[in-house]
Amino acid sequence: MSYRSGRHFLQLPGPTQVPGRVFRAMARAVIDHRGPGFGRMVLGLFEGLKWVFGDPAHVFIFPSSASGCWETALVNTLSPGDRVLLWNNGFFTSKWGGFARELGFDVEVRTGDWRHPADPERLAARLAQDRTRQIQAVLIVHNETSTGVTSDIAAVRAALDEAHHPALLMVDAVSSLAATPYRQAEWGVDVTVCGSQKGLMLPPGLGFCAVSEKALDRHREVAPAPRAYFDWTAMLGDNEGGYFPYTPPTTLLYGLEASLAMLREEGADATCARHARLAEATRQAVAGWSLRNYCQDPKAVSNAGTTVMVGEGEDAEAFRLAVLERFDMSLGTGLGPLKGKVFRIGHLGDLNELMLMGALAGVEMGLKTSGIAHTAGGLAAAAEFLAEA
Ligand code: PLP
């Protein structure tokens, strides 16, 4: 393959572009992961992570992708056969439910449609019916990356409170953290699952599980589901000194130190405001092309990525491939039943206005070269918004 000048545009809603500062931080010698310097560094990381997640009791770091933390959340807080209530509104929610079923839990699914967020009223009604308290956990994906639909976690918490239900609230914040406001303690979230390769601007490879005191108590009380590598007890003991029960990915942790410093320098509110603004510019572009946003609820549009529908009979995959070949840009694919019907524009992570405009220019040129029906003017609409807002 011949050399391609300039940089590849990785315009997915994760993995996102890794900033040079993070890569440089990672390009250091591996040190003894049982030595004092390592322990000090990791204790600092725990503090930084608590800040990002909104004050959980502890944040476990696992050398895994985020899916590993779906598993660790379940097997550390539930007994075999326990019932969980899952709101299914997308590819990742379905997948989490599939994991729970494979692990032997009894998964009760409530679903609306994929174009809308979780419905707190329906959840409240179901929880109120559960008089014998069979439901042990409620599982919600904060931002469904497949559809670009964000659910209201505070409202789901209110649904649990309204029913006076003691179930744990488990949230997947994989593509919302560091892009959308997230307040674990304030919202009474018991377990938050996340990964390194999205708003945290790191390469893939770290999974996070932020936990409340209630989740830790449940962990100590329940008849344990089978677990070994993902066991919290072993982790908790070693984490006290900043260590792990096995060899951690030292270079990714160096990168995490840098990305947490960058997030602190920008400030949580500013990071979320930047994401909201870039997301709005993207939606203005989509409207300017006369294309449709897959998300149908204007209050639930995503800060992290926009899922765009193509017309009946058009092939979103062929469009994506054309954009990759002609303009060296990766857009997100349609996942599950959405394959071929949508493409996804990621606007998450280390991104500014001109980078986004470059990505939107690539989309507009790609729409033209691949004959997708659209109107010109998306790029101009985004430029107008960004120049004025
Ligand atoms: N949950 C959400 C919302 C995601 O977007 C993803 C991946 O994109 C996952 C879970 C799974 O993460 P991983 O691929 O890191 O296991």
Side-chain angles (χ1 to χ4, degrees), residues 70 86-94 96 117-118 139-146 149-153 170-176:
W70 279 341
L86 169 100
W87 186 272
N88 182 344
N89 64 334
F91 177 81
F92 291 104
T93 5
S94 307
W96 196 5
L139 275 49
I140 301 281
V141 172
H142 189 195
N143 180 67
E144 236 311 340
T145 327
S146 61
V149 175
T150 303
S151 288
D152 182 344
I153 302 302
M170 298 194 188
V171 177
D172 169 325
V174 174
S175 60
S176 59

Side-chain angles (χ1 to χ4, degrees), residues 48-63:
L49 287 169
K50 281 189 187 178
W51 172 76
V52 176
F53 280 90
D55 220 15
H58 187 54
V59 184
F60 293 103
I61 307 173
F62 283 97

Side-chain angles (χ1 to χ4, degrees), residues 325-337:
E325 276 168 21
R326 179 77 174 76
F327 301 113
D328 200 16
M329 175 163 73
S330 294
L331 294 166
T333 187
L335 292 166

Side-chain angles (χ1 to χ4, degrees), residues 1 3-11 320-331 362:
M1 204 163 88
Y3 171 70
R4 298 197 80 158
S5 59
R7 80 158 171 84
H8 173 69
F9 270 59
L10 184 67
Q11 220 61 43
R320 264 184 4 99
L321 283 177
V323 169
L324 177 61
E325 276 168 21
R326 179 77 174 76
F327 301 113
D328 200 16
M329 175 163 73
S330 294
L331 294 166

